[in-house]
Amino acid sequence: MDLAQLSDRILTGDRRALARAITLVESSRADHREQARELLERLRGSGREAIRIGLSGTPGVGKSTFTEAFGMMLLGQGLRVAVLAVDPSSARSGGSILGDKTRMDRLSREKDAFIRPSPSQSQLGGVARRSREAVALCEAAGFDVVIIETVGVGQSETVVAEMSDLFVLLLAPAGGDELQGVKRGIMEIADLILINKADGDLKATATRTCADYAGALRLLRKRPQDPQGFPKAMMVSALAGTGLTEAWDEMQALIGWRREAGWWERRRAEQARYWFDQEVRNALLSQLETGTARAALDRLGQAVAEGRVTPGAAAREMLETLSGQHTAV
Amino acid sequence: MDLAQLSDRILTGDRRALARAITLVESSRADHREQARELLERLRGSGREAIRIGLSGTPGVGKSTFTEAFGMMLLGQGLRVAVLAVDPSSARSGGSILGDKTRMDRLSREKDAFIRPSPSQSQLGGVARRSREAVALCEAAGFDVVIIETVGVGQSETVVAEMSDLFVLLLAPAGGDELQGVKRGIMEIADLILINKADGDLKATATRTCADYAGALRLLRKRPQDPQGFPKAMMVSALAGTGLTEAWDEMQALIGWRREAGWWERRRAEQARYWFDQEVRNALLSQLETGTARAALDRLGQAVAEGRVTPGAAAREMLETLSGQHTAV
């Protein structure tokens, strides 16, 4: 593969080259990894930065409909939009979200849009690294906004937050004591809570839900990276197309404030450092993934869980097993 | 040190032997670590289980006053009570919380109570492991309730939750828009939110605060380990001594339900497994703590943060540095 040529084509915004490069960073073959690293090093100096929006919401909340409507609105403002998905569940099931592009029928036919389903059949650590690298490729290809979708499963929001500039939680209207099912940890990272389906019969319920979340957000500690009034709860309707421009205005206001206050740059630097640390740590911990180590870890872990040995004594035995594999610990 | 004798004395509930054993597990000397592991293995078979209560609250909320009043109430019910502190800030400052036992004047003079300040001058990973081992020693010494206090700093609540059977968040009454400063992640782990100082002039404010938090808790997703009505927000007054028995009744109800439903045992097994995994991982990652590795990590991390190299390329260079130190990666 001619990396210089691929790199040049990505810089011109060529979507086929971009798709090919993402396939490269998704591969776990050693030679592909090496090429991917070289390609990313080549593109590092492009100086291009997109606004990276993390988006989470449980199934049924209208995430695809929202992304399509929101994306079309951005295109209408002359912006180029990429949509990526991070789906840790695909690591288990082998499936992928966004696999069916017809769910974003209009957006997928626009020349200034790029939609990429999540890679399937890989581990969460791998999904995370590849998604982060795919985001970097989209930035180099000159997209103005990159939307990184995830479903609210396990640690996926945290992972997506580490590759986003702002994080949006999409919720459906819910009446009274009906539970929303908001994962607790997500309140930690949400910058904007959007109550979708604020139309027709659901309008009144959406208004109440929005007020409930605005109240809940006020009970939490203020983060230094938040200007007055953030995190914020707002209503939108992807179906009716209402509230989308207002939501984008709020995002821009938030980003503008963070840029001026130095948070944008600081956060980007912290994220780069974070991903570097993660790669180093994952490489070290990959010693535990070999067949022998894995088997010992399972056997000793089971003994610990059953109270047959203390965690400390079992850990020492585990480390001796690893040393026996000619691995210095 | 005669470990057999120390072990026997701990099993009789001897507080001086317990204190000495905790000093042993707090030491980072290799021979002490070895002795600590052997001691814990000896005591493993005691079959004694305390109710381990994680307790968090920001400074000024009345944590010491609460712990003393709550502890005295438990003693009044014929129970033996141990109080430990996990203070990650001491890893930085070299200080320790609970260092001043006079803040629990009555409790510290009771023969059925045991109070231990947090170890100072060590790293969070170390603080966590030592605290967990200190809890195990208190259980072997026959204490019925172990209260593990922490301040709401960084990851400390999560660490304490991994060594507790239930987690209590202590808050002060706050009116209207006055921010409570609840760390967002803590909603993930709290089983009981207690609004302290529900007495005198603050009674009405406490009632409103309690209702606010009860409302916020209802907006969160139900966890399978929670019976109907949990997590719960309640009012107490450590000063007036009100609500303490009621809070203890709720804790017992929660624990009783979890025992019957199998959650107690499952959680204990998961925690043991978690600590085993942590010890193994920490040992592997300790490669990064040597002088040379630390310097390379800082240098490369800085280059990554400044955008002079991609995280992937820097990670590869880091791993080559580690290999050069005769460490198989």
Side-chain angles (χ1 to χ4, degrees), chain A residues 34 37 40-41 44 58 132 152 177 179-185 187-188 212-213 216 218-223 226 231 269 272-273 275-277 279-281 283-285 287-288 294 297-298 300-302 304-305 307-316 318-319 322 326-329, chain B residues 34 37 40-41 44 58 132 152 177 179-185 187-188 212-213 216 218-223 226 231 269 272-273 275-277 279-281 283-285 287-288 294 297-298 300-302 304-305 307-316 318-319 322 326-329:
Chain A
E34 187 55 42
R37 266 193 293 261
L40 288 162
E41 268 294 307
R44 184 175 50 77
T58 43
R132 172 184 64 77
D177 279 342
L179 288 169
Q180 277 283 292
V182 174
K183 266 185 58 219
R184 290 149 200 250
M187 297 295 245
E188 182 86 34
D212 284 351
Y213 279 93
R218 273 194 298 273
L219 289 173
L220 299 169
R221 181 187 297 179
K222 197 159 155 41
R223 303 173 301 187
D226 291 330
R273 173 85 208 226
W275 288 111
F276 163 62
D277 284 339
E279 288 219 21
V280 172
R281 295 164 69 93
L284 288 176
L285 295 175
Q287 291 172 64
L288 299 173
R294 192 71 250 167
L297 204 62
D298 286 345
L300 288 165
Q302 188 59 31
V304 167
R308 288 186 278 116
V309 62
T310 57
R316 195 186 40 181
M318 184 67 211
L319 293 169
L322 288 174
H326 313 293
T327 303
V329 178
Chain B
E34 186 55 44
R37 266 194 293 261
L40 288 162
E41 268 294 307
R44 183 175 51 78
T58 43
R132 173 185 63 78
D177 279 343
L179 288 170
Q180 277 282 295
V182 173
K183 264 187 57 219
R184 290 148 199 250
M187 297 292 248
E188 182 84 37
D212 284 350
Y213 279 93
R218 273 195 298 272
L219 289 173
L220 298 169
R221 182 185 296 176
K222 196 159 156 43
R223 302 174 301 187
D226 291 329
R273 174 84 207 228
W275 289 111
F276 163 62
D277 284 338
E279 289 219 20
V280 172
R281 295 164 70 94
L284 287 177
L285 295 175
Q287 291 172 65
L288 299 174
R294 191 72 250 167
L297 204 61
D298 286 345
L300 288 165
Q302 188 59 31
V304 167
R308 289 185 280 117
V309 62
T310 56
R316 195 188 38 182
M318 184 66 212
L319 294 169
L322 288 173
H326 312 294
T327 304
V329 178

Side-chain angles (χ1 to χ4, degrees), chain A residues 184, chain B residues 165-167 187-192 217 220-232 253-254 257-258 261 263:
Chain A
R184 290 149 200 250
Chain B
D165 300 308
L166 60 88
F167 201 91
M187 297 292 248
E188 182 84 37
I189 53 173
D191 295 305
L192 208 55
L217 287 172
L220 298 169
R221 182 185 296 176
K222 196 159 156 43
R223 302 174 301 187
Q225 69 270 35
D226 291 329
Q228 190 63 37
F230 282 91
K232 188 169 283 193
L254 177 62
W257 187 89
R258 285 188 183 161
W263 281 106

